[in-house]
Amino acid sequence: MNALTKERASAIAEQSYKYGFVTDIESEVAPAGLSEDTIRFISAKKEEPSWLLEWRLKAFHHWQKMAEPDWAMVKYPPIDYQAASYYAAPKQKNKPKSLDEVDPELLRTYEKLGIPLREQEVLAGVTPRIAVDAVFDSVSVATTYKKTLEDAGIIFCPISEAVKTHPELVQRYLGSVVPVTDNYFAALNSAVFTDGSFVYIPKGVRCPMELSTYFRINAENTGQFERTLIIADDAAYVSYLEGCTAPKRDENQLHAAVVELVAHDDAQIKYSTVQNWYPGDKDGKGGIYNFVTKRGACRGKRSKISWTQVETGSAITWKYPSCVLQGDDSVGEFYSVAITNNYQQADTGTKMIHIGKNTRSTIIAKGISAGRAQSTYRGLVRMLRTAKGARNRTQCDSLLIGDQCGAHTVPYIESRQPSARVEHEATTSKVSEDQLFYCQQRGLNAEEAMALIVNGFCKEVLAELPMEFAVEAQKLVGISLEGSVG
Amino acid sequence: MLSIKNLHAEIDGKPILKGLDLEIKAGEVHAIMGPNGAGKSTLSYVLSGRDGYTVTEGQVLLNGQDVLSMKPEERAAAGVFLAFQYPVEIPGVTNMNFLKTALNSIRKARGESELDAMQMLKLLRAKAKLLGMSEEMLKRAVNVGFSGGEKKRNDILQMAVLEPKLCVLDETDSGLDIDALKVVAEGVNTLRAADRSMLVITHYQRLLDYIKPDYVHVLAYGRIQRSGGPELALELEAKGYAAFAPEAA
């Protein structure tokens, strides 16, 4: 690489995170530190019932006794949990009743991010409609299409609101998939979670539009701890999208979310994520620590949960969206693209726990490493004694760009059921000079060539994304790799 | 059209081309023949701008433009096309998508408007038809699982779509059986045009039975040793390369 292209490459890498701006808005921020008082403060802010405060405190006491996990292939300096603030909310006098009452600065922020908060006037069947719940730091600022969804019996609202309006549902399901004691970061989240989305699809209802939550971290020195709970009752269907961005900051910020999905008999949940938190700069300074617990329970017979994730952001990703396949004939799927560039680290994968008979799972994981990044696939397939006739197929492909990065594959397979079948296939390849030159000879520049080759590599996974997301994800794949060739 | 003057090039400090001169006028087909290691592939990579090939002296002009100062993709936009000896596989990228991305990149570089999906589909179908190729081929991933012949035809399809000014065919006949060779040659002949020059690089005379060149050059020891008409290829076939390499004597 000559000096000129090097300069050009780094210039591009520098400017490539276009969501790095900060919204200038007055916020109410809790003092730094984490104690019982902090939790009481959050609970009081949210006007929560006492059972939830008790639940939080139980989680907190458990967390205090736990040790931070160190088995993942990621390195970071110790986190000072007392230095961060656990609550930040844009100041608004009263909770806005409609979008017209929302702070225009906030609306502009979402406009800049390309997130539609105004319900569009749509001609039937022409523009796809997406209902959005927008979470800004610790609170949900707006939820669209609520009326349309209510008419179908669907509940889609901030979880803090659901606690008040549908306490029986929240109490019944919260922590039922990811118990408060599950792991260090899940316990922390349970203690201090501030907002997130709640979805309930009643029996037999097919959700008429994509539901989406857009998470934005804005405030400085705060963590984001959102909690999402999605329940699909018998024979219900929902497709849910999650997007996230954060400003460029030199400090690392912690994001420790918990997502729980419950699918009853014949229900289907499709959960898609495009994770684009700020990854840090090219020297590895700043960026989000994305330590997330996501798990779905296929409780009902013939239920299906499908995770699709495109992970391009964050300085560190620690995330294993999983399926617990309890119901007979239930299906779990995990499709993942994890791209790491510069000094990013990702340790991600899935767990498929087969309990019911004839349960099936598919795992397709694509890891791409460039720069000095390290990418690890870590996956567990467990066949319990009860999982007669269960099947799993895992395909795990790694692609390396340059010679300073690493890719690792750590599959765990445990089977106690002789009739269960588990297949695992893994490949590691490099983007070759031949491929790049071939594309360039046909008119593509180096960056375009890389984006094309990597998109081809990820194709099977990207094809699982809903249409509206797929195009955006393809572009994001290209952008994330800018500066990786020269 | 193409003017190569006193071209010197090396790989890892080892001189390969040592003062090569070549003039090709618009519409002409020139063949370059030579033994292994003569610098045939080096010439094609130097013309297309591949990394690792260092030009130490000389000049290459395409319609007056200095080719050597351009990046590979700029040369492609200027009209240089290389049909590869071993076309490369790109898993997961369909031929359709590849051709669309390539053509639109080139159009953009030339300041032309990009084609939309419908216009592109129409164009690609027409080009496939012109070369007698099935539309099915457009949906397959670039060269993945293609036979040797299919890969070469696929390169010819790319040539048809990108409409280059100068086509360099690097040992297009290597690895082809006689039937595949005929099909590929037919494709190339279809694309012969008054404003398009071709440089056919080959080891054997066989290919020239199907692609009739206007001129034949013998390349050995990094230079053109002799030039002539099509009859030179036959002479070469009869006498062998040794007769044309003065330094070998």
Side-chain angles (χ1 to χ4, degrees):
Chain A
M1 187 156 79
N2 62 39
L4 190 75
T5 50
K6 217 173 221 168
E7 211 169 274
R8 186 174 57 103
S10 64
I12 292 167
E14 282 288 85
Q15 54 165 270
S16 64
Y17 193 76
K18 63 173 176 177
Y19 308 106
F21 63 89
V22 178
T23 303
D24 186 12
I25 193 161
E26 223 187 315
S27 287
E28 184 176 14
V29 180
L34 179 56
S35 65
E36 272 199 35
D37 288 345
T38 322
I39 291 159
R40 287 179 197 284
F41 170 85
I42 292 170
S43 193
K45 270 282 160 203
K46 300 270 174 193
E47 298 162 3
E48 285 174 357
S50 58
W51 67 264
L52 190 51
L53 174 62
E54 290 310 314
W55 190 84
R56 287 175 180 278
L57 291 172
K58 188 180 146 203
F60 178 64
H61 294 138
H62 195 84
W63 178 76
Q64 286 180 308
K65 285 180 245 146
M66 294 173 98
E68 206 168 318
D70 59 0
W71 43 261
M73 203 175 278
V74 295
K75 283 190 199 118
Y76 55 93
I79 298 172
D80 182 356
Y81 291 92
Q82 298 302 334
S85 165
Y86 291 82
Y87 184 86
K91 260 190 191 161
Q92 39 196 13
K93 285 181 197 84
N94 294 304
K95 188 164 170 48
K97 292 204 173 45
S98 75
L99 269 187
D100 300 327
E101 293 175 27
V102 173
D103 189 319
E105 193 59 39
L106 275 178
L107 291 180
R108 268 195 294 276
T109 299
Y110 284 91
E111 213 169 278
K112 246 163 120 177
L113 294 168
I115 310 300
L117 288 190
R118 299 247 170 229
E119 298 183 9
Q120 298 117 304
E121 301 283 328
V122 279
L123 298 164
V126 179
T127 327
R129 289 189 303 178
I130 303 177
V132 178
D133 183 19
V135 177
F136 192 85
D137 290 330
S138 301
V139 294
S140 167
V141 291
T143 311
T144 62
Y145 291 108
K146 271 175 108 164
K147 181 79 183 70
T148 319
L149 293 168
E150 265 166 33
D151 290 345
I154 293 164
I155 306 166
F156 177 44
C157 66
I159 198 160
S160 55
E161 190 183 312
V163 167
K164 290 174 201 156
T165 53
H166 302 279
E168 70 299 337
L169 282 175
V170 178
Q171 201 165 359
R172 181 169 158 207
Y173 289 102
L174 187 72
S176 74
V177 186
V178 180
V180 294
T181 54
D182 190 81
N183 69 68
Y184 190 79
F185 297 111
L188 177 63
N189 171 285
S190 303
V192 302
F193 79 87
T194 41
D195 224 332
S197 297
F198 176 81
V199 177
Y200 174 79
I201 315 286
K203 282 184 184 164
V205 172
R206 192 182 166 88
C207 187
M209 60 179 79
E210 308 276 348
L211 301 184
S212 156
T213 302
Y214 194 87
F215 296 101
R216 172 80 179 164
I217 296 179
N218 187 63
E220 228 170 325
N221 299 320
T222 56
Q224 190 177 48
F225 304 91
E226 88 262 2
R227 186 101 194 176
T228 297
L229 178 56
I230 300 176
I231 302 135
D233 217 325
D234 294 351
Y237 170 87
V238 63
S239 170
Y240 178 92
L241 320 173
E242 176 200 273
C244 15
T245 57
K248 284 186 180 182
R249 295 194 189 278
D250 288 345
E251 304 81 34
N252 295 107
Q253 285 177 286
L254 179 61
H255 172 254
V258 172
V259 175
E260 296 178 281
L261 312 181
V262 179
H264 289 288
D265 286 355
D266 298 294
Q268 269 191 50
I269 302 175
K270 185 176 168 61
Y271 191 107
S272 314
T273 307
V274 173
Q275 187 265 107
N276 188 22
W277 294 118
Y278 177 51
D281 69 8
K282 65 177 190 345
D283 301 316
K285 196 167 189 201
I288 302 289
Y289 290 166
N290 191 36
F291 299 157
V292 170
T293 305
K294 291 183 170 178
R295 195 173 304 155
C298 282
R299 296 230 167 112
K301 292 183 177 128
R302 297 168 301 276
S303 56
K304 180 176 173 183
I305 289 179
S306 186
W307 298 101
T308 305
Q309 59 171 19
V310 176
E311 303 280 316
T312 62
S314 297
I316 300 178
T317 298
W318 179 99
K319 182 181 166 190
Y320 315 90
S322 305
C323 296
V324 181
L325 304 168
Q326 285 168 276
D328 290 348
D329 301 295
S330 60
V331 176
E333 293 174 337
F334 175 73
Y335 302 104
S336 169
V337 167
I339 300 179
T340 47
N341 195 0
N342 298 320
Y343 284 87
Q344 280 177 278
Q345 309 172 62
D347 192 308
T348 185
T350 184
K351 287 189 277 187
M352 292 289 174
I353 312 296
H354 291 254
I355 300 170
K357 287 192 203 82
N358 298 317
T359 45
R360 278 166 294 150
S361 63
T362 304
I363 299 171
I364 298 182
K366 307 273 183 180
I368 297 112
S369 318
R372 292 166 180 276
Q374 295 293 329
S375 172
T376 302
Y377 166 82
R378 190 182 299 277
L380 168 68
V381 177
R382 179 179 286 156
M383 301 290 185
L384 297 192
R385 203 162 286 143
T386 45
K388 271 194 192 133
R391 279 186 320 218
N392 160 268
R393 189 174 77 85
T394 300
Q395 187 191 322
C396 197
D397 301 315
S398 307
L399 187 69
L400 302 171
I401 299 168
D403 52 11
Q404 313 238 31
C405 55
H408 317 272
T409 305
V410 192
Y412 302 85
I413 297 169
E414 301 171 10
S415 182
R416 294 183 193 171
Q417 170 47 251
S419 68
R421 279 215 321 260
V422 181
E423 290 169 45
H424 180 93
E425 216 181 298
T427 65
T428 302
S429 53
K430 267 188 93 159
V431 173
S432 70
E433 285 290 321
D434 283 346
Q435 285 175 322
L436 283 172
F437 178 65
Y438 193 68
C439 294
Q440 284 176 276
Q441 212 303 303
R442 298 301 183 248
L444 282 68
N445 66 36
E447 308 270 345
E448 289 169 333
M450 188 60 85
L452 186 80
I453 293 165
V454 174
N455 266 302
F457 175 76
C458 303
K459 192 183 179 188
E460 288 161 279
V461 173
L462 297 180
E464 293 295 327
L465 286 173
M467 272 295 269
E468 306 81 56
F469 247 29
V471 178
E472 200 188 320
Q474 278 173 25
K475 281 190 207 146
L476 191 57
V477 165
I479 292 168
S480 319
L481 289 168
E482 276 173 359
S484 66
V485 278
Chain B
M1 172 75 77
L2 178 74
S3 164
I4 303 177
K5 286 204 175 82
N6 191 32
L7 185 62
H8 290 254
E10 54 183 50
I11 309 170
D12 296 330
K14 187 180 169 226
I16 306 287
L17 298 181
K18 305 163 188 169
L20 187 140
D21 296 287
L22 188 65
E23 295 283 332
I24 303 181
K25 294 199 179 67
E28 290 178 352
V29 174
H30 289 232
I32 288 197
M33 301 183 69
N36 286 329
K40 300 195 298 295
S41 284
T42 299
L43 176 61
S44 65
Y45 286 139
V46 165
L47 290 176
S48 53
R50 181 157 198 166
D51 259 2
Y53 295 80
T54 315
V55 174
T56 50
E57 216 183 316
Q59 189 186 46
V60 177
L61 297 177
L62 180 68
N63 293 324
Q65 282 180 283
D66 175 16
V67 169
L68 297 178
S69 67
M70 299 182 198
K71 290 186 211 143
E73 65 268 24
E74 291 166 347
R75 299 183 196 203
V80 176
F81 182 95
L82 174 62
F84 285 69
Q85 185 173 0
Y86 304 107
V88 179
E89 299 183 6
I90 310 177
V93 178
T94 61
N95 257 332
M96 185 96 84
N97 188 18
F98 183 71
L99 289 165
K100 182 178 149 213
T101 312
L103 182 58
N104 274 338
S105 297
I106 285 180
R107 290 181 66 95
K108 208 162 75 186
R110 287 177 185 160
E112 297 165 3
S113 67
E114 293 182 37
L115 298 185
D116 65 29
M118 281 314 291
Q119 292 168 314
M120 191 64 76
L121 187 64
K122 222 174 131 188
L123 175 88
L124 296 183
R125 279 181 175 157
K127 295 293 184 184
K129 201 175 164 198
L130 175 75
L131 298 173
M133 290 167 65
S134 73
E135 271 186 44
E136 205 46 44
M137 192 131 162
L138 294 172
K139 295 179 194 154
R140 290 170 64 183
V142 179
N143 295 327
V144 177
F146 283 31
S147 69
E150 282 176 325
K151 284 184 181 175
K152 300 290 167 87
R153 283 178 78 186
N154 206 27
D155 257 22
I156 306 302
L157 173 65
Q158 292 168 10
M159 190 193 285
V161 171
L162 302 179
E163 301 188 322
K165 294 273 174 278
L166 171 71
C167 305
V168 181
L169 290 91
D170 187 9
E171 308 235 8
T172 292
D173 50 337
S174 75
L176 295 191
D177 60 34
I178 197 75
D179 294 335
L181 182 67
K182 276 188 201 165
V183 173
V184 170
E186 257 168 48
V188 173
N189 288 331
T190 309
L191 298 177
R192 283 175 90 145
D195 59 348
R196 181 172 298 144
S197 307
M198 296 201 183
L199 183 58
V200 181
I201 295 173
T202 182
H203 198 73
Y204 299 108
Q205 193 270 335
R206 190 177 70 156
L207 178 65
L208 306 182
D209 289 340
Y210 303 100
I211 302 173
K212 299 268 185 239
D214 301 303
Y215 298 93
V216 174
H217 310 274
V218 180
L219 172 65
Y221 301 96
R223 306 177 61 146
I224 301 290
Q225 303 291 353
R226 219 174 115 188
S227 301
E231 72 289 347
L232 182 59
L234 296 169
E235 192 186 333
L236 198 60
E237 190 84 344
K239 293 185 186 165
Y241 286 115
F244 295 87
E247 291 160 63

